[in-house]
């Protein structure tokens, strides 16, 4: 029996308009009424998940937020931090210093209500042949105010849950190995989208976050269903007893999943959850 539904956000739960569709919302509200716990598991900061958790009324049903690709877990019910594993200050500074070698890479870090970047006006990358304002997109998605710091490495004298870097996809593909090379034994380094490359504490991923909080609560892996579309969802899908890839997922995720559902714009999650609810009656 499925007792937990864990979902990635961008490319999975959210449609192309960055919203939860009415059908998917209704299916997930029904699932919670049947006693299932929802988990939003994302590379987003915690602040970028809150509005969707409220929309799904997760605070009423013991829902959980897994943010920063698994380095932090927060209870929707009371805001308690259930798991937190940030990078050391030393490692955070080292990554930000190393990023200075890559002139097209824009690092982004957050603290409190602010997201910090080197240049608030250096916003555009080329994505699928068009200009994309990635700084605005990320700051608005995380509900952050923007602040400029000329030297992020000198500024970051506090632990960071994640360092997000962005550039044109072609540039990242050409340089990501050099970007991560000094840190392969110290940190987790991964693509979370073709224009995002991220750094978190060593061993951090969505599966570790889930196991760190769900196992002590008495949930077993076979009671977990997980949905995802990207490379950073692989650990979560491997951990869950039932794994579902979106039709828009990368091929590696489709290949490892137990099943492939419809796309983010075709109510892929709702289709599976509705079927699950009928089957568990």
């Amino acid at each position: 029996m499925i007792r937990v539904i864990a979902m990635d956000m961008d490319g999975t739960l959210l449609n192309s308009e960055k919203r939860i569709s009415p059908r998917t919302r209704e299916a997930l509200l029904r699932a919670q009424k049947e006693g299932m716990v929802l988990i939003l598991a994302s590379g987003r900061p915690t602040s970028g998940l809150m509005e969707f958790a409220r929309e799904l009324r997760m605070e009423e049903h013991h829902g959980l937020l897994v943010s920063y690709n698994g380095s932090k877990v927060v209870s929707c019910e009371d805001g308690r931090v259930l798991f937190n594993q940030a990078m050391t200050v030393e490692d955070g500074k080292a990554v930000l210093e190393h990023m200075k070698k890559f002139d097209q890479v824009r690092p982004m870090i957050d603290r409190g209500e602010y997201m910090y970047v080197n240049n608030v006006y250096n916003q555009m990358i080329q994505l699928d042949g068009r200009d994309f304002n990635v700084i605005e997109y990320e700051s608005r998605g995380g509900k952050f105010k923007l602040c400029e710091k000329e030297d992020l490495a000198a500024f970051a004298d506090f632990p960071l849950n994640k360092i997000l870097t962005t550039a044109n996809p072609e540039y990242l593909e050409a340089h990501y190995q050099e970007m991560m090379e000094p840190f392969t034994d110290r940190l987790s380094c991964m693509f979370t989208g073709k224009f995002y490359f991220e750094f978190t504490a060593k061993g951090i991923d969505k599966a570790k976050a889930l196991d760190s909080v769900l196992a002590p609560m008495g949930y077993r892996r076979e009671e977990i269903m997980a949905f995802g579309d990207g490379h950073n969802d692989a650990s979560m899908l491997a951990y869950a007893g039932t794994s579902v890839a979106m039709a828009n997922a990368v091929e590696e995720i489709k290949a490892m999943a137990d099943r492939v559902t419809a796309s983010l714009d075709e109510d892929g999650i709702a289709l599976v959850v509705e079927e699950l609810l009928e089957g568990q009656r």
Side-chain angles (χ1 to χ4, degrees):
M1 176 179 287
I2 299 299
R3 298 172 62 200
V4 176
I5 300 174
M7 300 163 286
D8 173 56
M9 295 293 292
D10 300 282
T12 303
L13 176 61
L14 303 182
N15 61 23
S16 294
E17 296 179 347
K18 297 300 178 183
R19 296 175 180 169
I20 303 173
S21 74
R23 182 178 175 182
T24 297
R25 182 190 309 112
E26 180 58 31
L28 293 172
L29 289 171
R30 284 178 53 204
Q32 290 178 108
K33 289 178 182 177
E34 295 293 325
M36 297 179 200
V37 170
L38 301 187
I39 300 177
L40 306 184
S42 176
R44 288 183 177 222
T46 309
S47 57
L49 304 178
M50 293 291 194
E51 67 173 301
F52 301 108
R54 287 191 292 268
E55 183 179 349
L56 293 171
R57 296 164 61 179
M58 290 170 58
E59 72 280 1
E60 300 174 19
H61 302 280
H62 312 291
L64 302 174
L65 304 179
V66 174
S67 53
Y68 300 107
N69 268 324
S71 76
K72 193 171 189 177
V73 183
V74 173
S75 165
C76 295
E77 191 173 12
D78 55 16
R80 283 184 303 132
V81 177
L82 305 178
F83 174 79
N84 188 43
Q85 187 174 335
M87 288 177 280
T88 65
V89 173
E90 178 186 13
D91 281 341
K93 283 181 171 290
V95 171
L96 292 167
E97 192 66 39
H98 184 58
M99 290 306 104
K100 295 176 183 178
K101 300 178 182 178
F102 305 93
D103 60 354
Q104 294 187 37
V105 168
R106 301 168 181 85
M108 293 175 260
I109 61 175
D110 67 85
R111 188 184 197 188
E113 60 182 334
Y114 286 92
M115 187 176 88
Y116 296 91
V117 296
N118 292 123
N119 183 349
V120 296
Y121 298 106
N122 186 13
Q123 304 167 332
M124 297 295 183
I125 62 171
Q126 285 293 307
L127 186 62
D128 300 326
R130 60 184 175 87
D131 285 340
F132 177 62
N133 191 329
V134 66
I135 300 296
E136 180 183 10
Y137 174 79
E138 191 63 25
S139 60
R140 292 194 184 281
K143 308 301 180 187
F144 293 124
K145 298 175 184 177
L146 270 176
C147 187
E148 186 174 284
K149 296 291 181 183
E150 184 176 348
D151 191 337
L152 289 174
F155 169 70
D157 59 354
F158 47 91
L160 295 168
N161 283 93
K162 181 181 80 170
I163 295 173
L164 174 63
T165 72
T166 187
N168 292 337
E170 299 77 13
Y171 186 89
L172 283 183
E173 185 62 38
H175 293 88
Y176 80 92
Q177 290 179 319
E178 187 182 353
M179 289 165 61
M180 67 184 285
E181 193 277 330
F183 310 106
T184 52
D185 296 329
R186 295 161 55 184
L187 300 172
S188 289
C189 318
M190 71 181 74
F191 276 100
T192 54
K194 59 185 178 181
F195 58 98
Y196 282 145
F197 194 78
E198 303 188 359
F199 298 83
T200 54
K202 185 68 176 176
I204 283 298
D205 56 32
K206 294 181 181 182
K208 180 174 181 178
L210 292 179
D211 190 59
S212 296
V213 296
L214 293 179
M217 291 177 177
Y219 293 105
R220 293 174 289 128
R221 292 172 63 172
E222 54 266 34
E223 297 173 322
I224 304 169
M225 174 181 282
F227 293 85
D229 75 300
H231 294 102
N232 61 324
D233 298 319
S235 68
M236 178 171 71
L237 268 62
Y239 178 80
T242 304
S243 57
V244 185
M246 309 301 288
N248 51 278
V250 297
E251 291 304 318
E252 296 91 326
I253 294 299
K254 291 181 184 178
M256 69 177 292
D258 295 318
R259 63 180 289 184
V260 178
T261 187
S263 76
L264 77 169
D265 286 323
E266 299 170 317
D267 294 306
I269 289 179
L271 291 170
V272 176
V273 173
E274 289 166 357
E275 178 185 305
L276 173 66
L277 291 170
E278 290 301 314
Q280 291 196 171
R281 280 188 173 179

